Amino acid sequence: MTGPTGQTGPTWPVGLEEAFAAYEQALMADDVPTLDRLFAPGPGTLRGDAAGLLVGHDAIAAFRGGRGGAPARRLVETRVQVLGEAHAVVVAVTELLRGGRGLQTQVWERQPSGWVVTAAHVTVAAPALDDRVWRVVGAPLVPTTTTDGEGLLAGEGVAVKDLYAVAGHRVGAGNPAWLAAASPEPDHAWAVARLLEEGADVTGIARTDELAYSLAGTNAHHGTPPNPRAPRRIPGGSSSGSASAVSLGHASIGLGTDTGGSIRVPAAYQGLCGLRTTHDAVPRTGLLPLAPSFDTVGWLARDTETLRRVGEVLLPTHDGPEIDPSALVTVPALLALAEPDVRAAVTGFAERHGADALDWRPEDLAGWLVAFQTLQAWEAWDSHGAWLEPRLDTLGADVRSRFERGARTTAGEADDARAVLAGARAEVDALVGDHVLVLPSASSVAPPLGPGLADRLQATRDATMRLTCLAGIAGLPALGVPLVTAAGLPAGACLVAARGRDLPLLRLAEELSSQTRNIAGPRP
Amino acid sequence: MTGPTGQTGPTWPVGLEEAFAAYEQALMADDVPTLDRLFAPGPGTLRGDAAGLLVGHDAIAAFRGGRGGAPARRLVETRVQVLGEAHAVVVAVTELLRGGRGLQTQVWERQPSGWVVTAAHVTVAAPALDDRVWRVVGAPLVPTTTTDGEGLLAGEGVAVKDLYAVAGHRVGAGNPAWLAAASPEPDHAWAVARLLEEGADVTGIARTDELAYSLAGTNAHHGTPPNPRAPRRIPGGSSSGSASAVSLGHASIGLGTDTGGSIRVPAAYQGLCGLRTTHDAVPRTGLLPLAPSFDTVGWLARDTETLRRVGEVLLPTHDGPEIDPSALVTVPALLALAEPDVRAAVTGFAERHGADALDWRPEDLAGWLVAFQTLQAWEAWDSHGAWLEPRLDTLGADVRSRFERGARTTAGEADDARAVLAGARAEVDALVGDHVLVLPSASSVAPPLGPGLADRLQATRDATMRLTCLAGIAGLPALGVPLVTAAGLPAGACLVAARGRDLPLLRLAEELSSQTRNIAGPRP
C-alpha cells in the first residue's frame, strides 16, 4: 500500500486505517454484518456505482445481502485526505484478480461507535461486453452498405434484436439451444438490409426474451439488461436488449418487434420513443415469427426525429393526410386501467395537447384479451412447436408456460378466438377512425427486481396487455413517447392511429415533441 | 434537481450550491480555467475515473486541458452531506445526452477563496465495446467446438489478434482499407481451431498495430488500447488489443504474434506473461504474415499456469529434458542495454533465482539489429507491397515509414542481411546452448502518452529491439514474465532457451512463479 498522503494531512486519523483495513477484509470475506456495521446508519448514507446510486443504509444493506460478494482484489494505491476533526476521504486504486483495475472513494465519519462510511463510490473495469444487453457487438459489427457516407441514417448505429437475420451470423432468439442449432444466415433480413442501405451500421445483435414471448426482458439464460433510467427495475421486453442498448447510448436505433407490446413496453419502462408499425406494413422477411397474425417490425430511439427517419426508410410512402394534434383523444375507461401514477402522467400529456375524451366502454376487453392470448399462443406453437416439443426444458419457466398453453390450444379454440377478434377489430377500427388514441403504453412503471418478481410480472403482463392488445388486435400503428411520473420514473403514452398512418403518426410525435420537453426528454 | 438531502445536514452550506452549479456550467462549456480554479491547488488533489487516478492539481489540469470537454449531461439527482464546518460531499447522478447515466462524487472544501474540490470520482456508462481493444466481441464470438465441456482450455476465453482467420469473419489487420477489402474467412486459422478444440471460446477479435509492424500499440486509426497496470502509458504492441484484453480481464488468453517483440513488449509493459514460440514450431496457417523468416505464433496470459496450458495445446510434444532453474544465466552487457529501473528489476529477478553471469560481449549487436530490420522490412514489403503500394496513405506515419523502407530495400541488401544474420544466429545459438538467458523483455517501462510520443517511440523501439532481436534472429522461444520496478511500474524479464524447448521453458516459468510472487503477481 502506498503510504498515505493527503492534501490536508499526511497521516491517517487515529483508528481510520484500522477501520479501512477491517472494511477491506470484510469485503473480501463477504462478511455482510461487518460491512453493514461499517456503513453509517440512517437514510442519508450513499453508495453508488455504474448501476446507480443507493440511498440509505437499508437499501445498501439489501444490495449487499443479495450480491454474493465483491470480486477479489488487492489495493494498489491508497490516498487519504483528512477533512477536519471527524471526517476523512480515502481513495483507493484496486486491482482485480479477474483482471482490470478499480477505483473506490469512501467518505468516513468518526462517530461514537468508531469510523463509519457515509458515502462510497465504486468503479470496476467494464467487461468486454455487457452480455445481458448484447450477444455480439462490433465497431461496427456490420458496416453500412453505402460507400459514399450518405443516406438518411448515416452515422446511426443499430442494435438488432436477435430475431432478425444478420448475414454471416446465427439467429439466437434468446435461447441457447436455438442458437446452438442455428447456422449462419446467408442474407440480411429485409429491414436490416434497408437500414444498411441508408447509411446505418449494425452495432451488434441484442438480447431478446426467448422467442420474443415476454414483455419483461428477464431472459432466464442471459440475465436482465439494465434499465439506466430506472435502476434495479426490469427493462421491459421482449425487445429488451435493443431498448437497453439505445438507453445506454450503445446504439441510436433499436430494431425490435412488437406482437403484444414488445416495443411499447420497453419504451415506456426506459423513457424511450418506439414505434410498432401497422401489421404487414414492413416486410418481415428474415424475421423469426412468434404469432404472424400480430407480429410487426418496430424500433426504438432516444428522440422522435430519429424514430421518424427510420420510418422513412422502412415504411411505404404514405399518400394520406397529415395528422393534426387536434386528432388526439383519450378514452377515460382505458386510462383507468393504468396505475394512478401512470394514469396521471398520461392524462397530463393528453391535457397539455388538448386531447378530447371519448366515451367508450371497453365492455368486452377481458374477452378480447383472452382471444388475443389464445390465438397468439396457438400461432406461437404453430411456429415453433415442432422444434420446441422435445426441448421445452430449455425454456425459462414463464416462456415455457406460454408455449405450453399454445400446445394445449385446439384448432377450434383458435377459430373461436379469431371470430372474437374480428368483432373486436371492427370495434377498435370504429373507435380510432381518424383519431389518434392516447393510451398508457404500459399499465405501470417498470416493476422492481427482487423477491416476488415472477408474481409481479404475471400481474403486470395481464394488466398491460389489456391496453397493448388493442393495437395488436386491429393491426394498428402505435407510437410510444416517454413521460415521467410524479416520482420521477419513466412511463409512456401510446399514440394509436388507423392502419397505414405510421408516417403521419411519426411526424405528429415529432411535432408534439417540439412543443414540449415531455416527449424529447423525460422530465417536466 | 432533487432537493439536497444529507445525513449530517439537510441543506447546502453557504456558497456551495453556487460553486457546484458553477462547476457544472464550466464543465459543460469546457471552461478549463474555471474548472482548474474550482479544483484545490496542490499535490494532494485527486480525480479518478475508470481510466485511473490522477494525483495533484497539475496532473488534473493537464488531463482536462487535453481531453476536449466532457460529454453533455444533465443532473438527475443531487445529494449533499455536510462534513463539519469546512467540508461537504456532493454526489450527483447524471444523464448523458448520448445515453446512459453517470455518477459523480465530489469532496468540497471551503478555502479562503471559496469552495473547491479536493477529490472527485467520476463514472460514466461504458460503451458497447472498447473499440481501442476490440473490433468485434461476443458472448462468446465463437464457442468452443467441444460439446462435452471438456478440454485443457475449458472455460478460457481468447482474444484473437486481428491477423488470424476466424471463420465467418474478415481479417482487418489493424487497417481500415485492408478490412474493407477483405472477405469473410472460410476456415479458422490453425491455432484458433486448436484452441477451440480444447474447450476455449473465442471472445472476440482484438486490435493490432497495422499489419503487426510496430511495438507500440498506438494504432493510428483505432486509438491506443488502455494499459490498466500503467495508466496513461502505451500498451505495447503489436499484439496490443490481445494484451489489453487479458490485462483488463476481458479474456484469459491473448493470441498474438511475435516477429520482433510483439508478444514480449506488451507483456512487459502490462505486467503479463507471454510466450514467443520457436520459429516454425506452431503452424502459421491462416495467419497473415509480416516477415515469415521471423514471424511466430505467441500468446499472453495473466499467469504462467494458463500460459503453459496453451502451450500444451499448440506446441509439439517435447521429448528432451526439463529445464532446471540452475540453467538461468544473465549477460551483464545485455542487461546494461536497459534503463536503470528495468535493469534493476531484471537483475533482482536473476539474483533471486541464482542466475550466473556470462561474460559475452555483443560487439556486433548494432549490425545484427540493422540486418534484422533490413530483412524484416524486405520481407514485409514482399508480403504486402503489391497491395500496399497504391494504398500507402492509408497507413499511420510510423508503420508507413517502415514499409517504405522495405520498398527501398534491394534484393542484394536482403541477401547481405541474411548473411549477417546467419553468423549472428550461430553466435546466439552458441551463447544460449543449454542455458536459459535472462534478458529485459523491453529496454524500458511503457513510455507515457502525451506530447513528443512519436520521438519517444522511435528511440524506445530501437533500444528494445536490440534486446528482442536476439530471439528473433535465432528463432528461439522467449518467455516474458512480469516484474515491477522500484517505482511500481510493470517491467518484464525474458527467458530465452534453445529452439524447440518451449514446453520445458513454460514449465520452468511455472516453477519459478511458484517460488516467488514476482512472476505471478506484479509486486515484490
Side-chain angles (χ1 to χ4, degrees), chain A residues 206-461:
Chain A
R207 297 294 189 189
T208 170
D209 280 307
E210 289 179 282
L211 296 150
Y213 210 169
S214 172
L215 294 176
T218 55
N219 186 295
H221 310 285
H222 308 303
T224 301
N227 181 343
R229 285 265 177 81
R232 285 170 277 279
R233 290 174 181 267
I234 66 171
S238 64
S239 306
S240 51
S242 302
S244 291
V246 171
S247 194
L248 289 162
H250 292 180
S252 53
I253 298 168
L255 183 63
T257 62
D258 189 313
T259 301
S262 285
I263 288 284
R264 293 163 282 168
V265 172
Y269 287 178
Q270 298 205 38
L272 299 172
C273 307
L275 179 69
R276 169 210 159 87
T277 55
T278 296
H279 189 249
D280 282 341
V282 179
R284 297 194 299 278
T285 313
L287 168 62
L288 205 66
L290 174 61
S293 292
F294 309 115
D295 292 344
T296 65
V297 170
W299 55 93
L300 300 130
R302 289 192 298 276
D303 60 85
T304 52
E305 192 267 343
T306 306
L307 199 76
R308 185 259 305 158
R309 282 190 286 122
V310 177
E312 291 179 356
V313 168
L314 294 182
L315 286 161
T317 308
H318 180 87
D319 295 324
E322 292 300 295
I323 303 177
D324 189 83
S326 65
L328 296 172
V329 294
T330 59
V331 174
L334 293 174
L335 289 173
L337 297 175
E339 300 286 328
D341 55 345
V342 170
R343 188 191 320 148
V346 177
T347 302
F349 169 85
E351 288 175 352
R352 281 194 298 281
H353 295 293
D356 289 330
L358 291 189
D359 180 25
W360 181 71
R361 302 279 161 176
E363 283 164 18
D364 298 326
L365 189 51
W368 295 358
L369 176 57
V370 169
F372 179 86
Q373 291 180 333
T374 299
L375 190 57
Q376 181 186 22
W378 193 87
E379 291 196 359
W381 191 252
D382 188 54
S383 296
H384 302 302
W387 190 85
L388 279 177
E389 191 151 26
R391 298 179 182 87
L392 281 168
D393 61 356
T394 72
L395 294 171
D398 55 338
V399 175
R400 176 179 180 155
S401 73
R402 291 193 272 277
F403 275 108
E404 285 174 337
R405 173 177 176 174
R408 290 191 306 268
T409 302
T410 66
E413 289 166 337
D415 283 341
D416 292 347
R418 282 192 195 91
V420 170
L421 293 173
R425 180 178 171 118
E427 194 168 339
V428 172
D429 280 350
L431 169 69
V432 173
D434 289 331
H435 298 305
V436 170
L437 203 57
V438 180
L439 302 174
S441 292
S443 64
S444 69
V445 298
L449 295 166
L453 179 62
D455 290 342
R456 283 199 295 283
L457 290 183
Q458 188 56 49
T460 303
R461 177 180 173 83

Side-chain angles (χ1 to χ4, degrees), chain B residues 344-401:
Chain B
V346 177
T347 301
F349 169 84
E351 287 174 353
R352 280 194 299 281
H353 294 294
D356 290 330
L358 289 189
D359 180 25
W360 181 71
R361 302 280 161 176
E363 283 164 17
D364 297 326
L365 190 52
W368 295 358
L369 177 57
V370 169
F372 179 87
Q373 290 180 332
T374 299
L375 190 57
Q376 182 186 23
W378 194 86
E379 291 195 358
W381 192 252
D382 187 55
S383 296
H384 303 304
W387 190 85
L388 280 177
E389 192 152 27
R391 299 179 181 87
L392 281 168
D393 61 357
T394 71
L395 294 171
D398 57 338
V399 175
R400 175 179 181 154
S401 73

